[in-house]
Amino acid sequence: MRFVGIDPSTKTGLVILENNKVHTAIEITSKEKRDPHRFMDITKKVMQHITKHDVICIEGFSYSSKGSAVSVQYGIGWILRSELIRAGLNYHDVPPSSVKKFATGKGNAKKEDMVLPIFKRWGFEHNSDNVRDAFVLAQIAQALNGQVELTKFQKEALIKIS
């Protein structure tokens, strides 16, 4: 069984865990400059890595954020979710605060505050915060499937996941 974490963005993080090891840890981008063509290209690239047996967690939308980056995140996020549904795949939406809490114990942790806890807990390093978030999402997918022992704060983080 594979556990997939996806952090949708113009630099989409994708991590796949298989047999408790990192199978894939990449940041997916597009050379396409026009939207929604760029969104569709990123989605196509992500879907090339997904299989029908994967347990998938995708980072939910940041509803409190503002600006043009939000519309891009929503565009990529909705197209990706549509393609997962079209392919007959189920996924779990994970609020950004749950990703942070699962990794650090704090739902309001900053991106840079996640680096050390991720390394200490799982020994995973990557220079992209999108890939690090995707790694935590893959760990959450594994936890939702009952594959790992959890701390109290990790159990609390799972409560808000749909």
Side-chain angles (χ1 to χ4, degrees):
M1 184 168 289
R2 296 177 356 145
F3 304 98
V4 178
I6 305 169
D7 182 14
S9 176
T10 55
K11 296 178 180 177
T12 292
L14 174 70
V15 170
I16 300 171
L17 301 176
E18 189 169 17
N19 298 322
N20 227 10
K21 293 184 179 155
V22 176
H23 175 274
T24 304
I26 57 174
E27 191 171 71
I28 297 173
T29 60
S30 176
K31 292 180 181 175
E32 179 63 59
K33 300 294 181 209
R34 302 170 299 152
D35 294 335
H37 299 84
R38 175 172 57 153
F39 307 161
M40 293 163 50
D41 186 43
I42 290 169
T43 297
K44 179 181 175 186
K45 290 175 180 178
V46 168
M47 294 301 292
Q48 290 171 346
H49 293 274
I50 306 296
T51 72
K52 66 180 179 175
H53 302 292
D54 292 342
V55 177
I56 303 166
C57 281
I58 185 169
E59 188 169 65
F61 298 114
S62 177
Y63 292 110
S64 62
S65 298
K66 295 178 171 79
S68 62
V70 174
S71 352
V72 169
Q73 180 201 40
Y74 286 8
I76 293 168
W78 284 123
I79 290 174
L80 183 53
R81 285 165 174 81
S82 297
E83 286 303 310
L84 289 168
I85 292 167
R86 185 188 320 260
L89 301 168
N90 294 317
Y91 62 88
H92 301 279
D93 254 310
V94 181
S97 61
S98 292
V99 175
K100 293 172 183 177
K101 185 162 186 164
F102 192 85
T104 70
K106 297 181 180 179
N108 61 351
K110 295 179 178 162
K111 294 274 188 187
E112 59 270 15
D113 295 337
M114 292 179 62
V115 177
L116 190 57
I118 290 170
F119 179 74
K120 280 184 169 181
R121 182 169 306 282
W122 295 291
F124 182 78
E125 293 181 280
H126 202 281
N127 59 359
S128 164
D129 57 11
N130 300 309
V131 174
R132 287 192 302 268
D133 283 358
F135 176 81
V136 175
L137 287 156
Q139 290 292 339
I140 290 171
Q142 194 167 259
L144 289 170
N145 206 54
Q147 299 289 315
V148 291
E149 286 190 41
L150 302 172
T151 65
K152 181 180 181 219
F153 68 80
Q154 288 176 321
K155 290 175 186 174
E156 291 169 357
L158 297 181
I159 292 170
K160 295 182 179 179
I161 297 173
S162 59

